[in-house]
Amino acid sequence: MKLHLIFFAVLIVGFISYNLFLESEDERLNTIINILYASVLFGYIAFMAFALLKKMKK
């Protein structure tokens, strides 16, 4: 589980650094990238929750 949290922290840092330093010039493209990145983050949260529930069941 520790590895999952480290990977999630790396994803969060990537999301923050993109929004602070690497924003796209086109606002539409920037919005699309932000939505896709946020979807990956929420999907990974769901995966971690599922993995934790599966471990707790054993």
Side-chain angles (χ1 to χ4, degrees), residues 6-39:
I6 292 171
F7 185 68
F8 184 68
V10 169
L11 285 175
I12 292 289
V13 168
F15 184 73
I16 292 171
S17 64
Y18 170 76
N19 281 312
L20 289 178
F21 306 115
L22 304 171
E23 285 187 346
S24 175
E25 297 293 326
D26 185 18
E27 191 169 329
R28 250 179 105 176
L29 180 62
N30 191 37
T31 303
I32 291 170
I33 292 171
N34 277 331
I35 289 171
L36 289 175
Y37 210 130
S39 298

Side-chain angles (χ1 to χ4, degrees), residues 39-55:
S39 298
V40 168
L41 288 174
F42 286 125
Y44 198 73
I45 289 172
F47 167 73
M48 285 193 315
F50 179 73
L52 182 65
L53 288 174
K54 197 172 177 181
K55 275 187 177 181

